[in-house]
Amino acid sequence: TKTDEKGAFEFDIKLTDNQTSIFNIRCGEEFIPIIASPGENIILTSMGRLSQNYRIDGSAESEAVQQVSKLLTEGAITLADLSKQHMGEKDEAKRQTLTQSYVKKYYEIKRQHIGFIVRNASSLAALYALYQRLPGDDILFNGEGDVVYYRMVADSVCINYPTSRYLVALQRDIKRMEEQMKLQTELSEQLANPVGFPPVSLPNIYGQKVELADIVAKNKATLVYFWR
Protein backbone atom coordinates (compact mmCIF):
# COMPACT_ATOMS: atom_id res chain seq x y z
CA THR A 1 0.00 0.00 0.00
CA LYS A 2 1.02 3.65 -0.34
CA THR A 3 0.58 6.48 2.12
CA ASP A 4 -1.11 9.74 1.24
CA GLU A 5 0.51 13.17 1.56
CA LYS A 6 -0.06 13.06 5.33
CA GLY A 7 1.52 9.64 5.72
CA ALA A 8 -1.80 7.86 6.31
CA PHE A 9 -2.93 4.60 4.75
CA GLU A 10 -5.63 2.00 5.21
CA PHE A 11 -6.55 -1.41 3.84
CA ASP A 12 -8.76 -4.40 4.56
CA ILE A 13 -7.39 -7.81 5.51
CA LYS A 14 -9.21 -10.92 4.36
CA LEU A 15 -8.89 -13.48 7.16
CA THR A 16 -8.45 -17.11 6.14
CA ASP A 17 -11.55 -19.10 7.18
CA ASN A 18 -12.63 -15.99 9.11
CA GLN A 19 -10.10 -16.85 11.83
CA THR A 20 -7.94 -14.60 13.98
CA SER A 21 -4.62 -14.35 12.11
CA ILE A 22 -1.08 -13.07 12.59
CA PHE A 23 0.35 -10.56 10.11
CA ASN A 24 3.38 -8.32 9.76
CA ILE A 25 3.05 -4.71 8.61
CA ARG A 26 6.36 -4.13 6.81
CA CYS A 27 8.20 -1.01 5.72
CA GLY A 28 11.61 -1.77 4.26
CA GLU A 29 13.47 -4.08 6.65
CA GLU A 30 11.30 -3.21 9.65
CA PHE A 31 7.95 -4.68 10.58
CA ILE A 32 5.20 -4.55 13.19
CA PRO A 33 3.42 -7.80 14.10
CA ILE A 34 -0.36 -7.60 14.48
CA ILE A 35 -3.01 -10.16 15.39
CA ALA A 36 -6.24 -9.36 13.58
CA SER A 37 -9.65 -10.77 14.47
CA PRO A 38 -12.85 -10.60 12.40
CA GLY A 39 -14.50 -7.17 12.57
CA GLU A 40 -11.60 -5.37 14.25
CA ASN A 41 -10.69 -1.84 13.19
CA ILE A 42 -7.00 -1.59 14.08
CA ILE A 43 -5.37 1.83 14.20
CA LEU A 44 -1.57 1.92 13.91
CA THR A 45 0.43 5.07 14.56
CA SER A 46 4.20 5.17 14.11
CA MET A 47 6.79 7.91 14.53
CA GLY A 48 10.44 7.46 13.60
CA ARG A 49 11.63 3.87 13.44
CA LEU A 50 8.69 1.67 12.61
CA SER A 51 9.36 -1.25 14.95
CA GLN A 52 10.55 0.73 17.97
CA ASN A 53 8.14 3.60 18.31
CA TYR A 54 4.55 2.83 17.46
CA ARG A 55 1.11 2.72 19.02
CA ILE A 56 -1.61 0.26 18.19
CA ASP A 57 -5.29 0.54 19.16
CA GLY A 58 -8.36 -1.59 18.52
CA SER A 59 -6.68 -4.98 18.99
CA ALA A 60 -5.92 -6.31 22.48
CA GLU A 61 -3.93 -9.21 21.03
CA SER A 62 -1.77 -6.85 18.97
CA GLU A 63 -1.17 -4.60 21.98
CA ALA A 64 0.03 -7.66 23.91
CA VAL A 65 2.36 -8.65 21.06
CA GLN A 66 3.81 -5.14 21.17
CA GLN A 67 4.83 -5.71 24.80
CA VAL A 68 6.89 -8.82 24.08
CA SER A 69 8.32 -7.35 20.87
CA LYS A 70 9.45 -4.25 22.76
CA LEU A 71 10.97 -6.40 25.50
CA LEU A 72 13.06 -8.43 23.05
CA THR A 73 13.98 -5.53 20.77
CA GLU A 74 15.15 -3.28 23.58
CA GLY A 75 16.79 -6.21 25.33
CA ALA A 76 18.74 -7.13 22.19
CA ILE A 77 19.98 -3.54 21.88
CA THR A 78 21.15 -3.50 25.51
CA LEU A 79 22.93 -6.86 25.18
CA ALA A 80 24.62 -5.77 21.95
CA ASP A 81 25.84 -2.59 23.66
CA LEU A 82 27.25 -4.55 26.62
CA SER A 83 28.95 -6.97 24.22
CA LYS A 84 30.49 -4.08 22.31
CA GLN A 85 31.79 -2.53 25.53
CA HIS A 86 33.24 -5.88 26.59
CA MET A 87 35.10 -6.27 23.29
CA GLY A 88 36.63 -2.80 23.56
CA GLU A 89 37.55 -3.01 27.26
CA LYS A 90 41.14 -4.01 28.12
CA ASP A 91 40.92 -3.87 31.90
CA GLU A 92 40.19 -7.43 33.08
CA ALA A 93 38.24 -6.37 36.18
CA LYS A 94 35.95 -4.17 34.09
CA ARG A 95 35.55 -6.96 31.54
CA GLN A 96 34.38 -9.30 34.28
CA THR A 97 31.93 -6.67 35.51
CA LEU A 98 30.56 -6.28 31.97
CA THR A 99 30.25 -10.07 31.65
CA GLN A 100 28.25 -10.22 34.88
CA SER A 101 26.04 -7.36 33.68
CA TYR A 102 25.45 -9.16 30.38
CA VAL A 103 24.48 -12.44 32.06
CA LYS A 104 22.23 -10.67 34.56
CA LYS A 105 20.44 -8.74 31.79
CA TYR A 106 20.13 -11.86 29.63
CA TYR A 107 18.35 -13.85 32.34
CA GLU A 108 16.24 -10.85 33.30
CA ILE A 109 14.93 -10.69 29.72
CA LYS A 110 14.36 -14.46 29.75
CA ARG A 111 12.32 -14.28 32.97
CA GLN A 112 10.21 -11.41 31.66
CA HIS A 113 9.67 -13.29 28.39
CA ILE A 114 8.42 -16.38 30.23
CA GLY A 115 6.37 -14.19 32.57
CA PHE A 116 4.59 -12.68 29.58
CA ILE A 117 3.81 -16.13 28.16
CA VAL A 118 2.42 -17.36 31.49
CA ARG A 119 0.26 -14.26 32.05
CA ASN A 120 -1.15 -14.34 28.51
CA ALA A 121 -1.23 -18.11 28.02
CA SER A 122 -4.74 -18.20 26.52
CA SER A 123 -3.96 -15.65 23.81
CA LEU A 124 -2.36 -15.94 20.39
CA ALA A 125 0.07 -13.30 21.63
CA ALA A 126 1.54 -15.93 23.96
CA LEU A 127 1.69 -18.44 21.11
CA TYR A 128 3.51 -15.82 19.02
CA ALA A 129 5.89 -15.14 21.92
CA LEU A 130 6.81 -18.84 22.17
CA TYR A 131 8.65 -18.57 18.86
CA GLN A 132 10.43 -15.27 19.47
CA ARG A 133 14.10 -15.24 20.47
CA LEU A 134 16.95 -12.91 21.22
CA PRO A 135 19.45 -12.74 18.32
CA GLY A 136 21.56 -15.89 18.17
CA ASP A 137 19.52 -17.62 20.87
CA ASP A 138 18.05 -21.06 20.18
CA ILE A 139 16.24 -21.84 23.43
CA LEU A 140 13.17 -20.29 24.96
CA PHE A 141 14.32 -20.60 28.56
CA ASN A 142 15.96 -23.86 29.60
CA GLY A 143 16.08 -26.09 26.54
CA GLU A 144 14.45 -29.48 27.12
CA GLY A 145 12.13 -28.11 29.82
CA ASP A 146 10.66 -25.54 27.41
CA VAL A 147 8.03 -28.03 26.27
CA VAL A 148 6.17 -27.28 29.53
CA TYR A 149 5.42 -23.75 28.32
CA TYR A 150 4.39 -25.00 24.88
CA ARG A 151 1.92 -27.43 26.45
CA MET A 152 0.56 -24.75 28.78
CA VAL A 153 -0.12 -22.35 25.90
CA ALA A 154 -1.64 -25.11 23.74
CA ASP A 155 -4.05 -26.12 26.52
CA SER A 156 -5.04 -22.51 27.19
CA VAL A 157 -5.31 -21.31 23.58
CA CYS A 158 -7.54 -24.31 22.84
CA ILE A 159 -10.24 -22.67 24.99
CA ASN A 160 -10.43 -19.41 23.00
CA TYR A 161 -9.22 -20.60 19.59
CA PRO A 162 -10.08 -24.32 19.33
CA THR A 163 -9.96 -24.38 15.51
CA SER A 164 -6.97 -22.09 14.99
CA ARG A 165 -4.43 -23.31 12.45
CA TYR A 166 -1.72 -21.91 14.74
CA LEU A 167 -2.90 -24.24 17.50
CA VAL A 168 -2.64 -27.18 15.12
CA ALA A 169 0.94 -26.18 14.24
CA LEU A 170 1.79 -25.74 17.93
CA GLN A 171 0.43 -29.18 18.80
CA ARG A 172 2.50 -30.66 15.99
CA ASP A 173 5.64 -29.00 17.39
CA ILE A 174 4.85 -30.28 20.88
CA LYS A 175 4.55 -33.83 19.54
CA ARG A 176 7.91 -33.47 17.80
CA MET A 177 9.54 -32.12 20.97
CA GLU A 178 8.09 -34.97 23.05
CA GLU A 179 9.37 -37.55 20.56
CA GLN A 180 12.85 -35.98 20.74
CA MET A 181 12.75 -36.07 24.53
CA LYS A 182 11.67 -39.72 24.47
CA LEU A 183 14.52 -40.59 22.11
CA GLN A 184 17.04 -38.75 24.30
CA THR A 185 15.78 -40.61 27.37
CA GLU A 186 16.10 -43.96 25.59
CA LEU A 187 19.62 -43.11 24.44
CA SER A 188 20.61 -42.04 27.96
CA GLU A 189 19.27 -45.31 29.37
CA GLN A 190 21.18 -47.33 26.78
CA LEU A 191 24.39 -45.45 27.51
CA ALA A 192 23.90 -46.05 31.22
CA ASN A 193 23.23 -49.76 30.60
CA PRO A 194 25.14 -50.62 27.44
CA VAL A 195 24.44 -53.84 25.59
CA GLY A 196 27.45 -56.16 25.47
CA PHE A 197 29.36 -56.63 22.25
CA PRO A 198 28.87 -59.86 20.33
CA PRO A 199 31.51 -62.57 20.97
CA VAL A 200 33.61 -61.95 17.87
CA SER A 201 36.96 -63.73 17.58
CA LEU A 202 38.88 -63.35 14.31
CA PRO A 203 42.47 -63.60 13.10
CA ASN A 204 44.38 -60.38 12.52
CA ILE A 205 46.72 -59.76 9.58
CA TYR A 206 49.35 -61.90 11.34
CA GLY A 207 47.02 -64.87 11.75
CA GLN A 208 46.68 -64.34 15.50
CA LYS A 209 43.22 -64.74 17.08
CA VAL A 210 41.88 -61.44 18.42
CA GLU A 211 38.91 -61.12 20.76
CA LEU A 212 36.72 -58.06 20.13
CA ALA A 213 35.96 -57.82 23.86
CA ASP A 214 39.70 -57.44 24.63
CA ILE A 215 40.02 -54.49 22.27
CA VAL A 216 36.88 -52.71 23.48
CA ALA A 217 38.03 -53.15 27.08
CA LYS A 218 40.87 -50.69 26.35
CA ASN A 219 38.25 -47.87 26.12
CA LYS A 220 39.35 -46.81 22.68
CA ALA A 221 37.26 -46.24 19.58
CA THR A 222 37.17 -49.47 17.59
CA LEU A 223 36.32 -49.95 13.93
CA VAL A 224 35.35 -53.47 12.91
CA TYR A 225 35.47 -53.79 9.13
CA PHE A 226 34.16 -56.94 7.47
CA TRP A 227 34.87 -57.77 3.84
CA ARG A 228 35.08 -60.75 1.56
Side-chain angles (χ1 to χ4, degrees):
T1 187
K2 293 184 178 180
T3 62
D4 61 20
E5 65 277 4
K6 295 182 180 180
F9 67 93
E10 64 178 37
F11 57 85
D12 293 330
I13 297 175
K14 293 183 179 180
L15 302 180
T16 304
D17 298 327
N18 208 35
Q19 289 189 359
T20 298
S21 303
I22 302 173
F23 297 90
N24 286 320
I25 304 296
R26 291 186 175 275
C27 182
E29 296 299 318
E30 295 191 66
F31 67 90
I32 293 175
I34 65 169
I35 299 179
S37 295
E40 284 186 335
N41 183 29
I42 302 173
I43 301 174
L44 175 65
T45 307
S46 178
M47 297 290 290
R49 295 197 62 179
L50 183 68
S51 60
Q52 294 183 23
N53 187 20
Y54 71 93
R55 175 178 173 177
I56 194 160
D57 298 291
S59 171
E61 291 270 28
S62 298
E63 290 178 42
V65 164
Q66 182 182 13
Q67 295 175 26
V68 74
S69 297
K70 182 177 180 181
L71 167 67
L72 296 177
T73 299
E74 294 182 352
I77 292 173
T78 300
L79 291 176
D81 183 57
L82 288 170
S83 180
K84 184 178 180 179
Q85 291 181 51
H86 185 273
M87 293 177 63
E89 183 57 64
K90 296 182 178 180
D91 184 273
E92 186 58 31
K94 292 182 179 179
R95 284 172 63 87
Q96 290 182 4
T97 299
L98 287 168
T99 298
Q100 293 171 358
S101 297
Y102 184 99
V103 172
K104 181 180 179 180
K105 184 62 179 179
Y106 173 82
Y107 282 107
E108 177 186 328
I109 296 169
K110 287 286 188 179
R111 286 191 293 270
Q112 292 177 354
H113 189 179
I114 291 298
F116 173 89
I117 291 171
V118 173
R119 291 192 305 274
N120 299 275
S122 62
S123 71
L124 289 186
L127 191 153
Y128 174 88
L130 282 175
Y131 294 92
Q132 304 310 301
R133 301 287 188 273
L134 289 167
D137 202 354
D138 294 327
I139 63 173
L140 177 62
F141 190 71
N142 62 355
E144 292 182 10
D146 287 343
V147 70
V148 172
Y149 301 108
Y150 285 77
R151 289 194 196 109
M152 176 188 66
V153 172
D155 291 342
S156 300
V157 167
C158 187
I159 298 173
N160 293 331
Y161 304 98
T163 61
S164 173
R165 60 184 180 279
Y166 303 115
L167 177 60
V168 173
L170 175 58
Q171 291 170 334
R172 184 170 57 245
D173 285 345
I174 291 172
K175 182 178 179 181
R176 176 182 52 79
M177 294 168 72
E178 290 175 338
E179 289 174 347
Q180 289 179 340
M181 291 173 62
K182 181 181 179 181
L183 177 60
Q184 290 173 352
T185 300
E186 291 175 352
L187 288 174
S188 296
E189 291 175 350
Q190 289 182 14
L191 290 173
N193 303 286
V195 177
F197 290 94
V200 177
S201 178
L202 295 169
N204 62 16
I205 59 175
Y206 304 108
Q208 301 168 331
K209 279 290 184 74
V210 178
E211 299 286 344
L212 177 60
D214 293 338
I215 299 175
V216 175
K218 296 178 181 180
N219 293 323
K220 293 184 178 180
T222 303
L223 170 63
V224 180
Y225 179 48
F226 294 91
W227 76 95
R228 67 174 184 174

